[in-house]
Amino acid sequence: KVIVINVEGMMCKHCKAHVENACMNVAGVLSCEASLELKNVTINCENYVSEEEIAKSIVDAGYEVK
């Protein structure tokens, strides 16, 4: 399944990579792509992965989820 989460606080390529790494650390995430322009991250994951679980990993990495 595909989940899109709005993320505040990404300012540069380093932030983009940090958010992507946080998402990839969640079990069941297959791939993800953060967008500085759209201020979001698109995650491809297994059906059992919850949006809340991914959002928590992003918040724990220091970013704000909208």
Side-chain angles (χ1 to χ4, degrees):
K1 71 179 178 179
V2 177
I3 297 172
V4 178
I5 298 176
N6 295 318
V7 180
E8 293 291 326
M10 290 190 297
M11 304 295 180
C12 61
K13 289 181 180 178
H14 175 77
C15 297
K16 176 183 185 301
H18 200 201
V19 169
E20 290 173 346
N21 286 338
C23 293
M24 291 303 295
N25 284 333
V26 176
V29 172
L30 305 173
S31 65
C32 66
E33 179 70 32
S35 169
L36 295 174
E37 296 79 23
L38 299 175
K39 295 185 178 176
N40 70 15
V41 60
T42 303
I43 301 109
N44 293 304
C45 59
E46 300 288 350
N47 285 331
Y48 63 83
V49 178
S50 72
E51 184 171 339
E52 292 75 21
E53 191 177 3
I54 296 170
K56 182 182 183 318
S57 74
I58 294 169
V59 170
D60 288 349
Y63 299 89
E64 191 175 339
V65 171
K66 292 286 185 183

